[in-house]
């Protein structure tokens, strides 16, 4: 079985009985055994549970059952999704060894669809970071160049797919944490519309921005995974009360007649700088490819996107400061004695349990919400958010989808961006979609500096996943034609 | 638009002068001072499950058995609003004449071990119910600023010598209460004395029970009161520094705590000093309040809208449906009895015992109102009273007021009626209760007068207390069968003859 075998191919073969879930699993476990030592994509590999699941799938196939759209497909789960009885750590010393008593909704849905979880992937602690260097359990290495980061915060999931450890993975995207590592690892990554995939069981970073989404090697696999996870969940009050949309049937419709807008502010010529020229060049090439495929392509200004980063670093830390308050050493997680009293115990536990980036964001957020500063910081950031939503709405009056780079740069060397502000700038292009709640996908499109992959981002209006996937699929076809691959 | 739909501003409520009148009777402060009291009442809502979690909302279970990942605040869990809690909150809000509005849940952030998420989901700048009022028996309306939904905290037990936190060896936390739905009802500072405060809480308790929003039990903590107390020169409209009194566990404690705290403020002002704004705890045994944490040093709660929840926007149809299903409220029930001719005091007791319907039916069937209510007040605090047939009850009262039964006999017959459900005439006949013939009584009285000439002489000269002596003599001679009223008439006749 080749390393490019897709989820769709595996599921078809397993359901048809031409291959077994157990064989598929062993192939992937063998790859993990071979390269995981160098890459460190996982915090936990759940080989035993996976083997049991695979055997059960095979039995059910043998019994003639329909085992679901992801029959026997190995999948890697970011280690901030709760898995019953399996350690769920957020790559934090604070939750080291913590085993949830329940499964996240997405974990339930994946199991029901026949997918087989192979393990929990590394991340920046509590999903705060863009390189997976902020993990309490060690750095994840980019499978394409082990000296470089895989991006983050879902770096372990991106690396797992890029390394062929699993054809599918799920991550969470709060400011670009799926799309940016997908771009840096040369795979597909999707941030769905806010509210389409249940957050129940996703350990919160910033509740109004967090969204679970797929990683895969192909656009079709991501579309299938998204469709499998999406749909209303009554346990999440922010879940949109609609069934999962059909994003598969129109995937190959092509882009003829579609209107594609290239976001002026994210092309490196305005106030936002730091874009690598090769990244800009590939994004323009992607726009040209769409035009060649029959789309109308033009530039469009979305002016307030330049304030996205500033607004994000008020809102996300503010929500995080509250979401992460519960890690106090009282009920679960890391506890330090602390001495005198409960307050001292809490202080000591939090001081020892959280890493520096988490502490930095808790402090930023606590400040932003303080009495007397609320309006100037959190309040103003929410108004910027409204501006961004309005600007996107204006752009979508004339365009069906928008285009931009996913990340300003290709994968950078481990340790290269030790200054937090430099690191934060990685998310310039991805943050606006989290603030607006709208979907976006990163598709590999050619290479940039040092022959490393470049990701191009396709943005769509709220619940516009079908158009987004269709355009992404067209880019995938164009990219493969450029390199002579078949797709 | 009805009354309720129109927000009632505090300026539209009853005048401050009424409050001052009440204060003069109620509070015991030095002349020239009056109390300014606002109450925060927390009522646990009578739901099956918790505010945001599927765990049971039941008092008295083994510690940490009514829990679920959501109310334990486990990582990854999310809150979902309990619709029944919203409905009960609207019920109570409407019963308190509030305006019901689209509301937003907010997080109140502070660290405390009995709060699983280290923030409490409450409501801040957009509460569910605003601008209501509650009318006391005096007719004084206490303004209600807001009645908002929130979740309860768990319960800490500090294990150590004193049971207090500062010298506890360790603490145990029970999360059964964590996440139980609460409605916090915040009054305007319209209350002018400890008795009025108690009356307000007692009436609020009756209303929440009547509408089924809460069982309102102080002893189980489903009803809790914090009092904001300050004082000012009588007649002034200023609002001086207030202290919030916590740990008040009964109506009696509430009254005592308010009286103590107000006097403490007056003493401070008279000594040229002034109180500091702070939270104080009522010490029941010591009969005093003690300083807790000072509000200046209190934490900044960093309220912000809870991003895990969406606003609750009750439709007008739903509000109307709830309003239509509200029962007649205690105030209106008492008024109905007063309108029918009863005294306010007995009317209140009848409503308290839930026997006002019986009383009203009896009165409508021709029974004398106050006599009816006196029976309800004095003789019907027994099981089964609510099953009494109103027609029979009316017959009993009529027999009594018509002279066919004495008060004592009526009481005996009534007890039998509750027990057996038989008609009063049958019971009276069986017990041999027949009204004494007046001429027979007259004869007896003549004999008694003849036997006690001195006493009779003094009685005729106006020594009124001897009426009891002669009544007693007749009752003794008739073995209690005589009608007291008839005796009184006879005595009056003979002494003035």
């Amino acid at each position: 079985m080749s390393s490019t075998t897709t989820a769709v191919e595996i599921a078809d073969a397993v359901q048809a009985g031409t291959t077994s879930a157990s064989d598929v699993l062993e192939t992937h476990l063998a790859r993990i055994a071979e390269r995981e030592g160098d890459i460190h994509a996982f915090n936990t590999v759940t080989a035993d549970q996976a083997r049991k699941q695979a055997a059960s799938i095979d039995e059910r196939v043998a019994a003639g059952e329909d085992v679901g759209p992801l029959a026997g497909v190995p999948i890697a789960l970011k280690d901030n999704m709760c898995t019953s009885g399996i350690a769920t750590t957020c790559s934090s010393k604070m939750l080291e060894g913590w085993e949830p008593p329940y499964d996240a909704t997405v974990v339930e849905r994946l199991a029901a669809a026949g997918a087989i979880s192979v393990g929990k992937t590394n991340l920046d602690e509590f999903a705060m970071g863009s390189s997976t260097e902020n993990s309490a359990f060690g750095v994840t290495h980019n499978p394409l160049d082990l000296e470089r980061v895989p991006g983050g915060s879902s770096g372990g999931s991106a690396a797992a797919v890029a390394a062929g450890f699993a054809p599918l993975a799920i991550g969470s995207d709060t400011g670009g944490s799926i799309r940016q590592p997908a771009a840096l690892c040369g795979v597909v990554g999707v941030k769905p519309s806010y509210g389409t995939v249940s957050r129940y069981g996703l350990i919160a970073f910033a509740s109004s921005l967090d969204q679970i989404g797929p990683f895969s090697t192909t656009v079709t696999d991501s579309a299938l995974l998204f469709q499998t996870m999406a749909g209303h969940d009554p346990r999440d009050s922010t879940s949109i009360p609609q069934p999962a949309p059909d994003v598969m049937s129109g995937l190959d419709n092509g882009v003829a007649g579609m209107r594609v807008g290239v976001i002026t502010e994210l092309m490196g010529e305005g106030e936002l700088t730091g874009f690598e020229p090769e990244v800009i060049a590939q994004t323009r090439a992607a726009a040209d490819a769409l035009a060649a495929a029959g789309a109308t392509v033009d530039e469009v200004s979305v002016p307030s996107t330049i304030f996205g980063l500033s607004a994000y670093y008020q809102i996300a830390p503010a929500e995080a400061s509250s979401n992460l308050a519960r890690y106090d050493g009282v009920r679960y997680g890391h506890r330090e004695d602390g001495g005198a009293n409960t307050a001292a115990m809490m202080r000591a536990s939090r001081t020892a349990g959280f890493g520096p980036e988490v502490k930095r964001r808790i402090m930023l957020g606590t400040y932003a919400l303080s009495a007397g500063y609320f309006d100037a910081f959190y309040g103003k950031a929410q108004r910027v958010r409204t501006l961004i939503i309005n600007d996107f709405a204006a752009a979508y009056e004339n365009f069906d989808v928008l285009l931009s780079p996913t990340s300003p740069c290709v994968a950078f060397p481990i340790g290269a961006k030790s200054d937090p502000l430099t690191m934060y700038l990685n998310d310039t292009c991805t943050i606006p979609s989290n603030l607006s709640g709208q979907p976006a996908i990163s598709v590999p499109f050619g290479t940039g500096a040092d022959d490393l992959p470049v990701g191009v981002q396709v943005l769509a209006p709220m619940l516009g996943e079908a158009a987004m996937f269709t355009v992404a699929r067209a880019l995938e076809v164009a990219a493969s034609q450029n390199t002579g691959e078949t797709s | 638009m009805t009354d309720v739909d129109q927000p009632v501003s505090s300026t539209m409520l009853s005048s401050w002068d009424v409050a001052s009148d009440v204060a003069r009777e109620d509070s015991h402060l030095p002349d020239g001072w009056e109390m300014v009291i606002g109450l925060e009442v927390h009522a646990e809502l009578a739901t099956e499950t918790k505010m945001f979690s599927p765990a049971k909302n039941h008092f008295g279970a083994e510690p940490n058995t009514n829990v679920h990942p959501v109310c334990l605040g486990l990582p990854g869990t999310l809150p979902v609003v309990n619709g029944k809690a919203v409905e009960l909150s609207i019920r109570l809000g409407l019963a308190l004449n509030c305006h019901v509005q689209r509301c937003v849940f907010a997080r109140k952030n502070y660290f405390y071990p009995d709060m699983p998420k280290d923030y409490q989901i409450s409501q801040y700048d957009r509460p569910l119910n605003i601008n209501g009022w509650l009318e006391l028996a005096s007719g004084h309306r206490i303004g209600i600023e807001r009645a908002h939904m929130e979740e309860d905290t768990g319960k800490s037990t500090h294990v150590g010598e004193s049971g207090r936190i500062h010298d506890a060896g360790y603490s145990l936390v029970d999360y059964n209460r964590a996440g139980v739905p609460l409605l916090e009802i915040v009054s305007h500072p319209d209350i002018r004395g400890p008795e009025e405060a108690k009356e307000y809480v007692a009436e609020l308790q009756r209303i929440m029970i009547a509408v089924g929003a809460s069982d309102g039990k102080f002893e189980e903590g489903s009803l809790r009161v914090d009092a904001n107390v300050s004082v000012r020169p009588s007649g002034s409209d200023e609002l001086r520094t207030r202290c919030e009194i916590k740990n008040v566990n009964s109506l009696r404690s509430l009254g005592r705590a308010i009286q103590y705290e107000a006097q403490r403020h007056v003493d401070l002002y008279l000594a040229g000093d002034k109180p500091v704004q702070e939270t104080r705890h009522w010490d029941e045994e010591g009969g005093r309040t003690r300083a807790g944490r000072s509000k200046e040093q209190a934490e900044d709660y960093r309220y912000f809208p809870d991003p895990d929840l969406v606003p609750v926007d009750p439709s007008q149809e739903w509000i109307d449906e709830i309003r239509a299903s509200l029962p007649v409220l205690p105030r209106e029930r008492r008024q109905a009895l007063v309108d029918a001719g009863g005294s306010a005091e007995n009317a209140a007791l009848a409503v308290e015992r839930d026997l006002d319907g019986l009383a009203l039916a009896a009165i409508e069937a021709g029974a004398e109102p106050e006599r009816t209510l006196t029976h309800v007040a004095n003789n019907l605090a027994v099981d089964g009273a609510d099953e009494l047939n109103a027609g029979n009850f009316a017959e009993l009262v009529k027999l009594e007021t018509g002279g066919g039964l004495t008060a004592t006999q009526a009481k005996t017959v009534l007890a039998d009626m509750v027990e057996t459900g038989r008609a009063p005439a049958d019971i009276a006949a069986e017990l041999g209760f027949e009204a004494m013939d007046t001429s027979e009584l007259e004869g007896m009285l003549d004999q008694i007068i003849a036997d006690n000439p001195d006493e009779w002489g003094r009685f005729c000269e106006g020594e009124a207390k001897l009426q009891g002596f002669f009544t007693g003599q007749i009752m003794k001679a008739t073995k209690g069968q005589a009608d007291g009223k008839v005796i009184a008439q006879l005595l009056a006749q003979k002494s003035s003859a």
Side-chain angles (χ1 to χ4, degrees):
Chain A
M1 184 176 293
S2 99
S3 67
T4 54
T5 306
T6 67
V8 170
E9 289 163 357
I10 292 171
D12 286 350
V14 168
Q15 186 67 63
T18 55
T19 188
S20 73
S22 298
D23 284 352
V24 170
L25 175 65
E26 292 306 329
T27 304
H28 289 87
L29 289 178
R31 285 190 203 131
I32 292 171
E34 192 184 334
R35 292 195 72 198
E36 170 64 2
D38 293 333
I39 293 171
H40 183 37
F42 291 98
N43 287 336
T44 311
V45 175
T46 52
D48 291 346
Q49 290 98 325
R51 287 189 173 107
K52 280 183 199 142
Q53 261 186 293
S56 156
I57 295 281
D58 289 333
E59 279 172 30
R60 290 171 54 203
V61 170
E65 282 182 48
D66 178 353
V67 292
L70 298 177
V73 180
I75 188 164
L77 311 174
K78 189 179 184 179
D79 200 13
N80 60 352
M81 322 269 171
C82 285
T83 43
S84 182
I86 296 167
T88 301
T89 69
C90 289
S91 288
S92 178
K93 189 178 171 188
M94 183 57 89
L95 281 177
E96 189 168 6
W98 180 66
E99 293 182 4
Y102 74 102
D103 276 330
T105 296
V106 287
V107 173
E108 283 180 358
R109 289 189 181 179
L110 290 172
I116 293 166
S117 167
V118 292
K120 307 295 292 288
T121 61
N122 199 14
L123 62 147
D124 287 298
E125 186 178 2
F126 281 99
M128 297 176 185
S130 307
S131 67
T132 318
E133 292 169 293
N134 295 336
S135 166
F137 309 131
V139 177
T140 295
H141 300 259
N142 191 319
L144 306 176
D145 179 346
L146 295 177
E147 302 302 312
R148 292 178 189 258
V149 303
S153 66
S154 311
S157 285
V161 171
F165 294 167
L168 298 178
I170 55 172
S172 62
D173 189 316
T174 307
S177 280
I178 292 173
R179 292 160 287 162
Q180 184 258 11
L184 270 52
C185 289
V187 299
V188 175
V190 184
K191 198 287 284 186
S193 299
Y194 185 81
T196 50
V197 178
S198 169
R199 291 185 299 116
Y200 188 78
L202 167 66
I203 298 182
F205 160 16
S207 312
S208 74
L209 303 164
D210 295 342
Q211 188 63 192
I212 292 172
F215 284 98
S216 62
T217 57
T218 69
V219 170
T220 308
D221 279 1
S222 272
L224 175 63
L225 180 50
F226 165 71
Q227 195 168 297
T228 306
M229 291 192 293
H232 182 238
D233 178 10
R235 292 180 291 191
D236 176 358
S237 306
T238 62
S239 165
I240 297 170
Q242 281 180 15
D246 169 20
V247 293
M248 294 292 285
S249 59
L251 261 185
D252 286 304
N253 283 357
V255 294
M258 286 183 87
R259 301 164 303 167
V260 178
V262 178
I263 301 174
T264 309
E265 285 77 11
L266 301 181
M267 292 301 281
E269 288 165 3
E271 283 190 46
L272 297 177
T273 55
F275 289 79
E276 290 175 359
E278 298 88 344
V279 168
I280 296 298
Q282 289 291 10
T283 308
R284 294 217 181 278
D288 292 345
L290 292 175
T296 311
V297 179
D298 209 343
E299 285 230 348
V300 58
S301 175
V302 187
S304 54
T305 52
I306 64 167
F307 304 121
L309 196 72
S310 312
Y312 176 86
Y313 276 97
Q314 298 296 334
I315 294 167
E319 294 180 8
S321 71
S322 177
N323 284 331
L324 271 63
R326 70 191 66 194
Y327 307 107
D328 58 10
V330 173
R331 292 158 297 273
Y332 49 79
H334 189 79
R335 179 190 283 193
E336 294 277 325
D337 182 4
N341 52 40
T342 312
M345 182 278 286
M346 288 179 170
R347 205 172 300 124
S349 300
R350 290 169 66 77
T351 301
F354 289 137
E357 183 61 28
V358 172
K359 286 178 192 162
R360 181 177 298 118
R361 298 202 195 188
I362 289 173
M363 284 189 280
L364 277 173
T366 302
Y367 190 77
L369 290 176
S370 302
Y373 295 101
F374 183 91
D375 280 336
F377 294 114
Y378 188 80
K380 186 172 266 181
Q382 289 290 15
R383 291 192 288 280
V384 169
R385 195 171 184 174
T386 304
L387 282 181
I388 289 174
I389 291 169
N390 292 345
D391 280 1
F392 272 123
Y396 286 122
E397 282 178 18
N398 299 311
F399 296 93
D400 298 306
V401 297
L402 303 178
L403 208 65
S404 81
T406 302
S407 162
C409 59
V410 295
F412 46 89
I414 290 168
K417 297 191 178 184
S418 52
D419 165 43
L421 276 180
T422 312
M423 187 70 88
Y424 294 171
L425 289 169
N426 274 291
D427 298 329
T428 302
C429 300
T430 45
I431 278 173
S433 306
N434 296 89
L435 291 170
S436 70
Q438 293 160 341
I441 184 171
S442 179
V443 192
F445 198 90
T447 55
D450 299 315
D451 217 18
L452 289 160
V454 168
V456 170
Q457 181 177 227
V458 180
L459 303 84
M462 203 63 186
L463 303 179
E465 272 87 355
M468 178 191 81
F469 278 116
T470 301
V471 173
R473 171 74 187 132
L475 282 177
E476 182 178 54
V477 170
S480 68
Q481 284 164 351
N482 289 349
T483 57
E485 285 175 22
T486 55
S487 182
Chain B
M1 288 256 261
T2 67
D3 284 350
V4 181
D5 289 327
Q6 288 188 329
V8 182
S9 73
S10 56
T11 52
M12 291 165 69
L13 300 179
S14 62
S15 74
W16 308 114
D17 300 349
V18 175
S20 301
D21 291 344
V22 172
R24 274 193 288 275
E25 290 169 27
D26 186 3
S27 73
H28 305 282
L29 290 183
D31 278 351
W33 292 92
E34 71 177 11
M35 298 186 191
V36 179
I37 302 158
L39 297 179
E40 294 171 14
V41 175
H42 289 85
E44 284 183 356
L45 298 171
T47 55
E48 278 302 308
T49 57
K50 293 185 181 180
M51 183 74 233
F52 302 109
S53 145
K56 288 257 176 268
N57 168 22
H58 282 163
F59 178 80
E62 283 294 301
N64 295 311
T65 54
N66 287 344
V67 292
H68 178 274
V70 171
C71 57
L72 287 175
L74 292 189
T77 56
L78 296 171
V80 175
V81 178
N82 179 340
K84 185 73 181 173
V86 178
E87 185 195 323
L88 294 180
S89 297
I90 294 175
R91 281 182 82 75
L92 189 46
L94 291 175
L96 296 173
N97 309 290
C98 287
H99 174 68
V100 178
Q101 64 175 5
R102 178 179 186 272
C103 60
V104 173
F105 288 98
R107 292 187 186 176
K108 180 181 183 180
N109 295 285
Y110 63 101
F111 285 91
Y112 206 76
D114 66 15
M115 205 165 49
K117 301 182 294 299
D118 288 296
Y119 61 79
Q120 179 189 27
I121 306 176
S122 181
Q123 296 186 317
Y124 185 53
D125 51 0
R126 293 288 296 179
L128 175 66
N129 301 295
I130 55 167
N131 293 337
W133 47 264
L134 181 154
E135 188 174 302
L136 301 178
S138 62
H140 185 200
R141 281 184 181 182
I142 307 300
I144 289 170
E145 185 189 319
R146 54 191 283 155
H148 68 257
M149 288 182 282
E150 62 184 25
E151 56 177 347
D152 211 340
T153 61
K155 222 169 179 176
S156 297
T157 307
H158 305 296
V159 182
E161 282 179 24
S162 72
R164 281 199 290 270
I165 190 163
H166 51 267
D167 56 359
Y170 58 96
S171 299
L172 297 172
V173 193
D174 176 7
Y175 292 106
N176 282 349
R177 201 181 69 179
V180 163
L182 292 177
L183 194 69
E184 178 175 345
I185 303 131
V186 181
S187 86
H188 282 291
D190 294 352
I191 298 167
R192 293 289 169 269
E195 288 309 316
E196 194 172 58
K198 287 158 69 175
E199 197 192 337
Y200 167 84
V201 174
E203 181 68 1
L204 187 50
Q205 187 181 28
R206 286 188 281 265
I207 293 171
M208 63 181 70
I209 293 169
V211 302
S214 173
D215 60 12
K217 289 179 181 166
F218 264 109
E219 62 278 17
E220 292 183 3
S222 62
L223 181 64
R224 304 196 287 276
V225 184
D226 299 333
N228 285 296
V229 178
S230 66
V231 299
R232 67 185 174 197
S234 298
S236 150
D237 60 3
E238 67 179 312
L239 292 174
R240 294 194 174 189
T241 304
R242 66 176 194 272
C243 290
E244 185 179 3
I245 317 300
K246 289 188 178 288
N247 197 34
V248 175
N249 295 322
S250 67
L251 281 183
R252 183 168 171 272
S253 300
L254 177 67
R256 290 178 73 204
I258 288 170
Q259 181 60 43
Y260 174 88
E261 185 62 16
Q263 185 64 52
R264 192 181 72 84
H265 285 214
V266 171
D267 291 346
L268 283 168
Y269 288 120
L270 292 178
D273 206 346
K274 56 184 183 182
V276 291
Q277 186 168 330
E278 61 186 355
T279 299
R280 297 178 68 86
H281 293 268
W282 174 243
D283 169 5
E284 181 71 35
E285 277 176 33
R288 52 168 298 182
T289 62
R290 293 179 190 278
R293 60 172 193 269
S294 150
K295 281 252 172 163
E296 278 87 353
Q297 297 159 12
E299 285 160 278
D300 171 1
Y301 291 125
R302 294 175 285 121
Y303 279 102
F304 75 108
D306 192 329
D308 286 332
L309 291 164
V310 292
V312 170
D313 192 2
S315 69
Q316 194 56 50
E317 291 72 27
W318 193 29
I319 296 171
D320 291 344
E321 201 178 294
I322 294 171
R323 193 197 316 276
S325 74
L326 284 179
V328 181
L329 295 177
R331 179 171 61 94
E332 298 159 273
R333 288 164 62 181
R334 292 193 300 265
Q335 191 58 47
L337 285 176
V338 171
D339 290 346
S343 70
E345 196 185 337
N346 280 339
L349 267 172
V351 172
E352 198 80 54
R353 298 204 176 128
D354 211 14
L355 294 174
D356 53 317
L358 171 72
L360 215 50
I363 292 167
E364 273 164 21
E368 198 278 315
E370 189 56 11
R371 193 64 219 151
T372 305
L373 287 180
T374 302
H375 277 300
V376 170
N378 298 341
N379 306 328
L380 285 179
V382 291
D383 284 345
D386 53 333
E387 286 165 30
L388 200 57
N389 177 288
N392 283 348
F393 186 31
E395 279 312 309
L396 174 84
V397 175
K398 284 189 219 165
L399 275 175
E400 185 187 358
T401 50
L405 285 173
T406 68
T408 314
Q409 288 170 337
K411 184 176 170 181
T412 308
V413 172
L414 184 56
D416 196 308
M417 287 164 65
V418 172
E419 193 96 342
T420 65
R422 292 188 297 163
D426 296 347
I427 299 168
E430 185 182 297
L431 293 176
F433 288 167
E434 278 161 49
M436 299 288 297
D437 196 278
T438 308
S439 60
E440 199 179 337
L441 275 182
E442 215 173 334
M444 282 182 183
L445 182 57
D446 288 341
Q447 186 58 49
I448 290 166
I449 290 171
D451 291 348
N452 302 279
D454 279 1
E455 285 80 358
W456 182 247
R458 275 153 54 205
F459 179 68
C460 292
E461 279 156 30
E463 203 170 320
K465 70 179 181 188
L466 282 167
Q467 171 139 356
F469 168 78
F470 285 105
T471 308
Q473 291 292 318
I474 296 172
M475 284 297 183
K476 198 172 153 192
T478 61
K479 297 189 176 71
Q481 303 266 325
D483 186 333
K485 275 190 228 159
V486 179
I487 298 172
Q489 279 166 12
L490 277 176
L491 285 170
Q493 258 170 34
K494 287 200 176 284
S495 61
S496 63

